[in-house]
Amino acid sequence: MSLSAVLLAAGVSPSPTPSESPTVTVPTLKDAQESATNAAGWVEQNWSTWLAIGLRVVLVLVIAAVLRTVVLRAITKLIDRMARTGETPDGAALTGLLVNAERRRQRSQAIGSVLRSVASFVILGTAALMVLSTFEINLAPLLASAGVAGVAIGFGARNLVTDFLSGVFMILEDQYGVGDQIDAGVASGEVVEVGLRVTKLRGDNGEIWYVRNGEVKRIGNLSQGWATAGVDVTVKSSEDLDRVRATLDEVAEKMSKEEPWNELLWSAIEVLGLDSVLIDSMVVRVSARTMPGKSVAVERELRWRIKRAFDEAGVRIVGGATAVSLDEDLPDPTATVAAPSSFANADSPQSIAATPITAQRAAAPQPK
């Protein structure tokens, strides 16, 4: 029995010898026709599904593109309308003197940028999810991964998110704008630029402050509504109050009729009365409501006019609660000083006689 027969009986196929070459099967024309027929049949069975998927994807993309274009155009028109000065039925400007062109432009630009970004993200994100669902892709793992990644990014960039959200609400609520004088707690000055993350302020000395919106806990806007100009006039307690009031009323009436103070003053200048009465002086309070941000200029002009009017009326202004007029008879400070003594001269006989003996002996010349 040969080795091949033994291996066959054991169920093991013998390995081909080097002399034996494997047989290569060459596909015939009939086999090619059968393969083509099977492929054509498979395409014929699934072409309708492919066509439906393709049409659905194209329809989703077209609808998303058209919807995004329409929404962005509507947002642009809305922002352009916000940038223009609205007018009330009586023809007066709606924003008046509180909002200038640069403030409206930056505010509308920031709001438009936020709205366009949000609209594009929502529309395109929804379209992408619909396209993936058309291909029967399971979106649950993808959404879960996106949620985890969003949470991680939110924790890592929480300061940036806080600044961004604070800036959005500051702009939407119009808490301040370009040209406003604000006190943001960490810095104060005139608003130069309002951004979604940083607000730029110019301080009183010309410095530029970059304030992160997330760090602002309170905002004091000195340019909204109206401002108050208050001047304290300190006069001697012996002055006639009726003459002081008449002089102040004359200054107030004259200043209210002159330009440009008649536009900066939003109420009559009032003499509120005595703010405090001391032993040798009294303080008269003068107040007026002014245009926002113009209270300092009105106060300076009031002081200037009050000083000139008091000089003409003969009313003396003192420098403070403890100020004393120079024309009063003051006691001579040298009256209480004793007359110079002869002991003040160290070389006088009295001083030498009063010098201790030890000191005299030390000063005496030694004999040679």
Side-chain angles (χ1 to χ4, degrees):
M1 183 178 295
S2 62
L3 181 59
S4 299
V6 174
L7 293 176
L8 290 175
V12 180
S13 60
S15 58
T17 59
S19 59
E20 297 178 358
S21 59
T23 305
V24 179
T25 305
V26 178
T28 61
L29 181 59
K30 183 178 181 180
D31 295 336
Q33 290 179 352
E34 290 179 357
S35 300
T37 302
N38 294 333
W42 184 77
V43 171
E44 184 179 0
Q45 292 176 359
N46 297 279
W47 75 271
S48 58
T49 304
W50 293 352
L51 182 61
I53 293 175
L55 291 178
R56 190 177 302 175
V57 171
V58 172
L59 182 62
V60 169
L61 295 178
V62 170
I63 293 177
V66 173
L67 182 61
R68 180 174 178 270
T69 302
V70 173
V71 172
L72 293 184
R73 186 170 299 178
I75 292 175
T76 302
K77 291 184 178 180
L78 177 63
I79 297 305
D80 292 342
R81 184 177 300 178
M82 290 177 57
R84 295 193 298 266
T85 303
E87 293 186 355
T88 55
D90 57 354
L94 179 63
T95 53
L97 300 174
L98 303 181
V99 181
N100 54 25
E102 182 64 18
R103 171 175 178 171
R104 290 195 305 270
R105 186 191 67 81
Q106 290 199 7
R107 181 169 179 261
S108 59
Q109 183 178 1
I111 295 176
S113 177
V114 173
L115 294 179
R116 280 190 288 266
S117 299
V118 171
S120 299
F121 178 78
V122 172
I123 294 174
L124 296 181
T126 304
L129 294 178
M130 293 179 65
V131 169
L132 293 178
S133 64
T134 302
F135 290 101
E136 297 182 356
I137 297 176
N138 189 9
L139 299 179
L142 180 62
L143 295 178
S145 302
V148 173
V151 172
I153 293 175
F155 276 109
R158 57 185 181 275
N159 292 333
L160 182 61
V161 175
T162 302
D163 297 340
F164 180 81
L165 293 179
S166 300
V168 170
F169 283 107
M170 286 178 182
I171 293 174
L172 291 178
E173 296 173 1
D174 195 18
Q175 298 180 7
Y176 55 83
V178 176
D180 288 352
Q181 290 285 341
I182 68 171
D183 180 5
V186 294
S188 61
E190 180 182 355
V191 179
V192 178
E193 183 179 349
V194 180
L196 293 177
R197 192 183 68 87
V198 174
T199 297
K200 188 184 297 184
L201 304 177
R202 183 176 295 278
D204 297 334
N205 297 326
E207 69 275 11
I208 296 294
W209 297 98
Y210 294 88
V211 181
R212 288 171 45 194
N213 296 329
E215 294 182 351
V216 179
K217 304 301 180 183
R218 62 168 180 82
I219 297 176
N221 196 327
L222 306 179
S223 301
Q224 286 185 354
W226 45 267
T228 301
V231 176
D232 292 334
V233 183
T234 305
V235 297
K236 294 178 59 177
S237 58
S238 59
E239 293 291 345
D240 185 5
L241 289 177
D242 294 334
R243 184 174 62 168
V244 172
R245 178 180 286 273
T247 305
L248 293 176
D249 290 339
E250 182 181 357
V251 171
E253 182 180 1
K254 185 177 180 181
M255 183 176 175
S256 301
K257 295 180 180 179
E258 295 181 0
E259 294 183 356
W261 311 111
N262 54 356
E263 297 180 358
L264 301 182
L265 292 170
W266 284 11
S267 68
I269 302 176
E270 300 179 1
V271 181
L272 302 181
L274 287 177
D275 192 66
S276 63
V277 179
L278 302 175
I279 297 177
D280 53 358
S281 64
M282 55 185 177
V283 179
V284 182
R285 180 83 174 172
V286 181
S287 177
R289 184 174 296 181
T290 68
M291 180 187 298
K294 301 299 181 181
S295 60
V296 176
V298 174
E299 290 175 355
R300 291 172 178 171
E301 183 66 18
L302 265 177
R303 294 189 185 98
W304 182 280
R305 292 172 179 262
I306 289 173
K307 178 62 171 63
R308 295 183 60 181
F310 277 7
D311 290 344
E312 295 176 358
V315 179
R316 299 295 302 271
I317 298 179
V318 297
T322 59
V324 182
S325 178
L326 297 177
D327 58 357
E328 294 182 355
D329 295 333
L330 300 178
D332 188 4
T334 62
T336 58
V337 179
S341 172
S342 60
F343 292 98
N345 187 3
D347 297 333
S348 63
Q350 293 85 354
S351 298
I352 296 175
T355 305
I357 299 176
T358 56
Q360 294 179 3
R361 291 177 179 177
Q366 297 294 333
K368 297 183 180 179

